[in-house]
């Protein structure tokens, strides 16, 4: 690894992260606010029946990353509503990560590229930053969920069936701690990295606004339909077969799909950037 590449990578892993401090702080504040509101909703609902049910860390995490039921699982007497918290959470993550690469290139990152004159080196440094930044966003959500669980004396990642039945209309009785970690955290994190890399690809191909609009359309369509080919389903833990039965999907497939999606977006983005006249 030459000294120029080390300097570029150091910048991405340190300076790049520090440049987004305000965005990470805003995500943490958002997560805290959502957890507070969710807690008070739970307390208020179960107090009516003189029940005392304390949410777990897993309940808070699934509130962010669980998503909701597809349209065909909603009763005929009810209207389908998109899971707003899930949508807002991923919209926030996409804004933090997907826009940075193009914005940084247009600013000081352009100078680093001129010094190295190596598009491949510059692109790899951005991929490294993107992977770490997405992981950091999920770490913030997990940390906030875990802290709330600790404060309430219920830090287990095991979801509470009564809470999810009432607020998400899903039965999590068969969901284990491993299911929450793998299907509610690891799979969505890998898929989100793929989505953000795809967003970067689109931003260089067309523009930033188009890239975020495309991702929002994917999320909206995926939220209403439970299909393997709709990639947004892999970032919703409540779409698993343990939740929806035969109509659900094997969310563990999302690990393979996410890696392939990330790799394809990374390679496609590099070739588009390679052909781009940046001088």
């Amino acid at each position: 690894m030459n000294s120029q590449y080390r300097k570029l990578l150091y910048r991405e892993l340190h300076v790049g992260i520090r440049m987004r401090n305000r965005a990470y702080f805003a995500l943490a504040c958002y997560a805290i606010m959502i957890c507070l509101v969710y807690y008070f909703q739970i307390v208020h609902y179960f107090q009516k029946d003189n029940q005392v049910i304390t949410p777990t860390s897993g309940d808070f995490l699934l509130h962010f990353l669980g998503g909701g039921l597809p349209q065909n699982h909603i009763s005929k007497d009810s209207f389908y509503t998109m899971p707003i918290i899930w949508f807002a959470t991923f919209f926030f993550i996409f804004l933090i990560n997907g826009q940075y690469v193009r914005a940084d290139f247009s600013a000081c990152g352009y100078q680093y590229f001129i010094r190295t004159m190596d598009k491949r080196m510059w692109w790899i440094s951005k991929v490294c930053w993107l992977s770490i930044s997405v992981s950091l966003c999920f770490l913030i959500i997990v940390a906030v969920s875990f802290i709330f669980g600790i404060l309430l004396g219920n830090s287990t990642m095991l979801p509470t069936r009564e809470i999810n039945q009432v607020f998400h209309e899903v039965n999590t009785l068969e969901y284990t701690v491993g299911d929450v970690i793998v299907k509610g955290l690891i799979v969505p994190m890998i898929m989100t990295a793929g989505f953000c890399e795809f967003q970067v690809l689109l931003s260089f191909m067309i523009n930033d606004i188009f890239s975020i609009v495309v991702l929002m359309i994917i999320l909206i369509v995926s939220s209403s339909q439970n299909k393997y080919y709709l990639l947004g389903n892999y970032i919703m833990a409540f779409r698993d077969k343990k939740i929806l039965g035969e109509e659900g999907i094997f969310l563990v497939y999302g690990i393979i799909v996410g890696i392939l999606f990330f790799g394809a977006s990374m390679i496609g983005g590099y070739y588009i950037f390679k052909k781009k006249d940046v001088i």
Side-chain angles (χ1 to χ4, degrees):
M1 183 182 292
N2 59 51
S3 59
Q4 286 182 324
Y5 183 73
R6 283 199 298 269
K7 290 179 181 179
L8 188 60
L9 193 59
Y10 175 83
R11 177 183 181 276
E12 292 306 319
L13 302 185
H14 294 274
V15 178
I17 295 296
R18 289 201 301 270
M19 287 175 63
R20 309 300 285 172
N21 274 346
R22 292 183 180 180
Y24 299 133
F25 178 73
L27 178 62
C29 291
Y30 161 81
I32 292 171
M33 179 189 69
I34 295 300
C35 285
L36 279 173
V37 172
Y38 191 43
Y39 169 70
F40 285 119
Q41 286 178 329
I42 292 171
V43 171
H44 177 73
Y45 181 87
F46 288 105
Q47 272 184 345
K48 295 185 296 183
D49 299 323
N50 295 319
Q51 293 179 283
V52 179
I53 297 180
T54 304
T56 67
S57 297
D59 290 322
F60 287 114
L61 182 64
L62 290 178
H63 188 52
F64 290 106
L65 308 177
L69 293 175
Q71 192 169 8
N72 60 338
H73 274 255
I74 304 297
S75 63
K76 295 181 179 180
D77 298 329
S78 303
F79 291 101
Y80 170 76
T81 56
M82 186 175 64
I84 300 299
I85 302 301
W86 168 83
F87 182 85
T89 299
F90 283 97
F91 178 72
F92 210 140
I93 294 175
F94 293 155
L95 282 181
I96 291 174
N97 297 287
Q99 307 294 315
Y100 169 75
V101 176
R102 179 65 179 266
D104 179 70
F105 177 77
S106 300
C108 56
Y110 182 80
Q111 300 173 9
Y112 281 84
F113 170 73
I114 294 297
R115 294 173 187 175
T116 60
M117 294 305 295
D118 190 333
K119 290 184 176 182
R120 182 178 60 86
M121 182 191 306
W122 188 87
W123 184 260
I124 291 175
S125 71
K126 297 303 177 184
V127 171
C128 292
W129 173 85
L130 188 65
S131 301
I132 293 176
S133 183
V134 169
S135 300
L136 183 57
C137 289
F138 275 82
L139 180 62
I140 290 172
I141 294 174
V142 171
V144 172
S145 300
F146 194 67
I147 289 172
F148 267 82
I150 292 176
L151 294 176
L152 296 173
N154 207 355
S155 60
T156 178
M157 296 299 288
L158 193 66
T160 307
R161 182 181 62 84
E162 294 84 356
I163 292 176
N164 288 288
Q165 185 69 56
V166 170
F167 291 93
H168 298 287
E169 299 182 357
V170 297
N171 185 358
T172 56
L173 183 62
E174 297 184 10
Y175 241 46
T176 64
V177 173
D179 289 324
V180 174
I181 294 175
V182 174
K183 302 170 185 177
L185 178 60
I186 295 177
V187 173
M189 184 167 62
I190 295 173
M191 283 299 304
T192 302
F195 274 119
C196 290
E197 190 64 42
F198 182 62
Q199 183 181 358
V200 173
L201 182 156
L202 292 178
S203 68
F204 274 105
M205 184 185 296
I206 304 178
N207 57 53
D208 293 337
I209 296 178
F210 178 81
S211 66
I212 194 69
V213 169
V214 169
L215 291 192
M216 293 304 99
I217 292 175
I218 292 175
L219 292 189
I220 292 171
V221 175
S222 298
S223 69
S224 62
Q225 302 294 327
N226 192 43
K227 304 294 182 181
Y228 280 100
Y229 55 82
L230 295 176
L231 299 182
N233 282 288
Y234 295 102
I235 56 177
M236 287 186 275
F238 294 150
R239 297 297 170 89
D240 188 43
K241 277 189 175 293
K242 280 192 174 182
I243 301 293
L244 298 181
E246 290 301 318
E247 295 185 8
I249 63 177
F250 287 108
L251 283 183
V252 290
Y253 291 168
I255 296 176
I256 300 174
V257 174
I259 293 174
L260 293 176
F261 186 35
F262 181 84
S265 298
M266 177 182 65
I267 294 172
Y270 169 67
Y271 278 104
I272 290 174
F273 178 68
K274 184 179 180 180
K275 295 179 179 179
K276 191 177 183 63
D277 184 11
V278 295
I279 304 299

